[in-house]
Amino acid sequence: MSSSESRPKKIKDETSDKRKRQNKTKAKTEDSDAENSDVGEHRRLSAYELERLENIRQNKVFLSCINLPQATKDLKRLTQPKPSQKRNLTRSKIAEKDELPPRKSLRLQKKASDSVSLPPEPRAALSIYNAIDVMPKNPPGPLSMDPVNVERGSGLPLELLQLCSEVSANANEEKVDLDLKQYCSALKNMKIPKDGVAKVVKDRIFSAAFHPCTSSLLMAAGDKWGKVALWNLGAGWGVDGVLLWEAHTRPVSCMAFSKANPAHLLSLSYDGSLRCMDIEKAIFDDVYDTEDSLKTFDFLSDDCSTLVVGALNGDVAIVDRRTPGNSHESVNTLDTIIRCVNVHPLHKQYFVVAENRMVSVYDSRSLKKTNSKPVCQMHGHSLSISSAYFSSTGNRVLTSCFDNRIRIYDTSALISNAPLMTSIGYYMQTGRWLSKITATWDPKQEDCFVLGSMDRPRRVQVYHESGQLLHSFRDEDHLTTVLSVTAFHPSRNAILGGNSTGRLHVFTD
């Protein structure tokens, strides 16, 4: 080979080696840059991020070891039902369904029904306030007055009979009328004495009344489960002056002492019984008994022998205590819910009834079995009425309504629509756990009345018929609850109030 041919080949080989060296140098440079880039990126990451990347790497290694993705696919394949299985299941359900013959009405076919008739609904289920699990009422007939809060056989204290005999001696005392200024002054002097609060019954008080004796403050109260109690302020008998009896088995919604014989305390209950506590005979006599829930009563005669009794289902019964037995003379339906009846103090044939949303005055001599026409009505109530009472002369009627109004009507003339005299805004929404607030007249002052309050601090308030607030009774130490049930003493400067825990409070001078 000539030297001229070998020279180009040598140059070509040198060029090729040079290119290979350049490529290797370039590759090393790229690897070094990439490595430097990774190192720089890791240097920019925080310690937490580096730890997180390491945890992700370890989790991937663990999942690949247990072959989790493949296990998930196998589980889905095993649990997914085949289309043929779905269709077979649907067919089996349809096959199991039996075809029933079409129903045909016997009435349309003009055929008599051969089915067994349903048993009659028990009367207890028809009553509004009857419960399924209540205790049965006491058996008819007299009940012995054995107090349940003292030792059996202790008998009644002799002081009780002495208080009743004292009333007959002072019954003819004349009532002294006070002007409004003197009356307010007397109210301001009334406070709760040191022993003026006592737990007289076990449950919520539904009704309470003062005994008319003057030498001592003797009070009666009835609670939710039929207990009747007598409390003599400052007496040493019983427990703190309290004697307790189980006269009824449901709420004692109304009670009153007989004006003709103050040794008699009449009490009425939702259990359908009206009984007379005869202190002289030491028995609870049976006056009236029915299957319906009784709500209210009042005396229709001056000797307190005849009564008008109202039931929740709208029945008004005339009961004569002189008639043997515990039945009624007549029963008349007013086709409404009765919450209160009150007899005119002078004209005893008239009585006012607090109905659902109407207050009506009826004449007992013209009552009918149904559709009795009222002599007088009082309009303007938009919700249920809890009470309606005549004043001591019968010239006014005081109503308490759940529309948060206290109303006073002029009944000096019993015309068809009694005119409204005063309407007072007053919060009356006590709820289901408190007895309803009702306004009651002061028998010593015709134009003044008392009622409890939902306001704080707790109080008892006395109003004039014009709507003027005369006095608020407060006591931060002794009065801390709502006194829903209130009443004036018939002759002394005293007011009682009962609450939902069975306690009576007394304000006196």
Side-chain angles (χ1 to χ4, degrees):
M1 182 181 296
S2 61
S3 59
S4 60
E5 292 178 356
S6 61
R7 188 179 295 124
K9 183 177 180 182
K10 184 178 181 181
I11 294 172
K12 185 176 180 181
D13 294 338
E14 291 177 356
T15 303
S16 177
D17 294 338
K18 186 178 181 179
R19 287 178 178 176
K20 289 181 179 180
R21 288 195 299 271
Q22 290 177 352
N23 291 337
K24 290 180 179 180
T25 303
K26 185 178 181 181
K28 289 181 179 180
T29 303
E30 290 177 355
D31 294 341
S32 177
D33 293 340
E35 183 177 357
N36 294 334
S37 176
D38 293 340
V39 172
E41 183 179 357
H42 283 292
R43 286 177 180 174
R44 289 194 298 269
L45 296 177
S46 64
Y48 169 75
E49 291 173 333
L50 293 174
E51 183 180 358
R52 177 175 173 274
L53 292 175
E54 180 63 21
N55 290 337
I56 292 174
R57 188 187 66 79
Q58 292 179 3
N59 290 339
K60 287 182 179 179
V61 173
F62 175 74
L63 293 176
S64 62
C65 292
I66 64 175
N67 199 11
L68 182 62
Q70 185 62 32
T72 304
K73 292 181 181 179
D74 295 342
L75 182 62
K76 289 183 178 179
R77 180 175 54 81
L78 294 173
T79 57
Q80 186 175 6
K82 297 180 180 180
S84 60
Q85 290 179 344
K86 294 182 180 178
R87 290 194 296 271
N88 292 338
L89 180 62
T90 306
R91 289 196 191 99
S92 63
K93 282 188 175 182
I94 296 175
E96 290 175 0
K97 185 177 179 180
D98 297 333
E99 293 187 1
L100 300 176
R103 299 180 61 185
K104 295 182 181 180
S105 172
L106 295 177
R107 179 180 62 83
L108 296 178
Q109 299 180 59
K110 298 182 179 180
K111 294 182 180 180
S113 175
D114 55 353
S115 61
V116 180
S117 60
L118 295 175
E121 187 176 5
R123 279 193 72 90
L126 299 177
S127 179
I128 298 175
Y129 288 91
N130 280 340
I132 298 176
D133 55 348
V134 298
M135 297 174 57
K137 69 166 62 176
N138 293 326
L143 299 177
S144 177
M145 281 185 63
D146 292 326
V148 297
N149 63 336
V150 297
E151 294 182 3
R152 184 173 295 275
S154 301
L156 298 178
L158 296 177
E159 293 88 341
L160 211 52
L161 293 176
Q162 294 175 358
L163 290 175
C164 296
S165 61
E166 171 208 333
V167 173
S168 60
N170 300 330
N172 296 325
E173 289 186 357
E174 295 183 359
K175 183 178 65 174
V176 179
D177 295 331
L178 302 176
D179 58 29
L180 201 57
K181 185 177 181 180
Q182 294 174 333
Y183 183 73
C184 291
S185 178
L187 293 176
K188 293 178 181 179
N189 293 329
M190 296 166 58
K191 308 291 181 182
I192 297 181
K194 184 178 180 180
D195 55 350
V197 180
K199 186 172 179 62
V200 296
V201 287
K202 297 182 179 180
D203 295 283
R204 188 207 317 178
I205 293 178
F206 271 67
S207 58
F210 268 113
H211 190 275
C213 63
T214 56
S215 64
S216 184
L217 291 178
L218 178 63
M219 293 152 281
D223 75 353
K224 180 179 179 180
W225 294 112
K227 307 294 190 301
V228 174
L230 287 179
W231 175 38
N232 188 11
L233 181 64
W237 68 54
V239 180
D240 297 329
V242 178
L243 298 175
L244 183 66
W245 296 273
E246 296 177 345
H248 307 275
T249 58
R250 296 300 310 279
V252 182
S253 57
C254 188
M255 59 170 42
F257 285 96
S258 171
K259 296 180 181 179
N261 187 354
H264 291 175
L265 171 66
L266 281 82
S267 58
L268 174 144
S269 173
Y270 285 0
D271 64 9
S273 63
L274 173 61
R275 291 186 175 274
C276 173
M277 174 195 289
D278 192 335
I279 299 175
E280 295 176 346
K281 298 180 180 179
I283 60 171
F284 280 95
D285 201 3
D286 199 5
V287 177
Y288 180 54
D289 189 85
T290 180
E291 295 297 325
D292 299 318
S293 295
L294 300 181
K295 175 63 178 177
T296 177
F297 78 94
D298 200 5
F299 301 107
L300 267 177
S301 57
D302 292 328
D303 60 358
C304 299
S305 61
T306 309
L307 300 91
V308 54
V309 181
L312 285 169
N313 61 2
D315 288 346
V316 173
I318 305 299
V319 178
D320 194 338
R321 297 173 59 192
R322 298 166 297 185
T323 303
N326 57 2
S327 61
H328 52 262
E329 301 298 320
S330 64
V331 174
N332 310 277
T333 301
L334 300 183
D335 297 327
T336 184
I337 296 177
I338 297 177
R339 293 185 174 88
C340 181
V341 296
N342 187 244
V343 176
H344 195 287
L346 302 180
H347 307 288
K348 295 291 186 178
Q349 69 271 22
Y350 298 114
F351 63 93
V352 63
V353 179
E355 301 173 358
N356 192 17
R357 297 191 180 184
M358 181 70 66
V359 176
S360 304
V361 178
Y362 292 90
D363 190 340
S364 60
R365 301 169 299 181
S366 59
L367 288 177
K368 298 180 180 180
K369 294 295 182 181
T370 58
N371 299 323
S372 297
K373 301 299 180 182
V375 177
C376 174
Q377 287 188 320
M378 295 154 221
H379 301 271
H381 305 88
S382 59
L383 291 177
S384 299
I385 306 158
S386 57
S387 64
Y389 295 106
F390 280 111
S391 61
S392 58
T393 60
N395 293 331
R396 306 284 187 270
V397 167
L398 175 66
T399 67
S400 304
C401 184
F402 291 115
D403 61 5
N404 296 329
R405 307 296 296 182
I406 303 294
R407 295 176 175 86
I408 301 173
Y409 293 85
D410 184 2
T411 55
S412 56
L414 294 178
I415 57 179
S416 58
N417 292 323
L420 176 64
M421 294 179 55
T422 310
S423 179
I424 306 170
Y426 205 86
Y427 189 72
M428 308 291 289
Q429 309 301 323
T430 56
R432 62 178 298 184
W433 305 112
L434 299 179
S435 298
K436 308 308 178 187
I437 294 176
T438 57
T440 55
W441 292 107
D442 185 350
K444 306 181 297 296
Q445 199 80 11
E446 181 191 11
D447 52 359
C448 299
F449 60 91
V450 64
L451 72 169
S453 175
M454 295 288 291
D455 295 339
R456 292 180 182 273
R458 301 307 187 190
R459 65 197 71 180
V460 174
Q461 296 181 314
V462 178
Y463 279 83
H464 187 259
E465 65 175 13
S466 62
Q468 176 187 358
L469 176 61
L470 300 181
H471 186 65
S472 292
F473 294 95
R474 301 180 186 178
D475 193 318
E476 295 181 357
D477 297 330
H478 301 95
L479 181 54
T480 58
T481 57
V482 177
L483 302 185
S484 301
V485 180
T486 53
F488 271 101
H489 193 280
S491 57
R492 285 186 54 173
N493 292 328
I495 295 176
L496 65 77
N499 65 8
S500 61
T501 63
R503 287 177 170 82
L504 278 181
H505 298 66
V506 179
F507 298 86
T508 185
D509 52 9

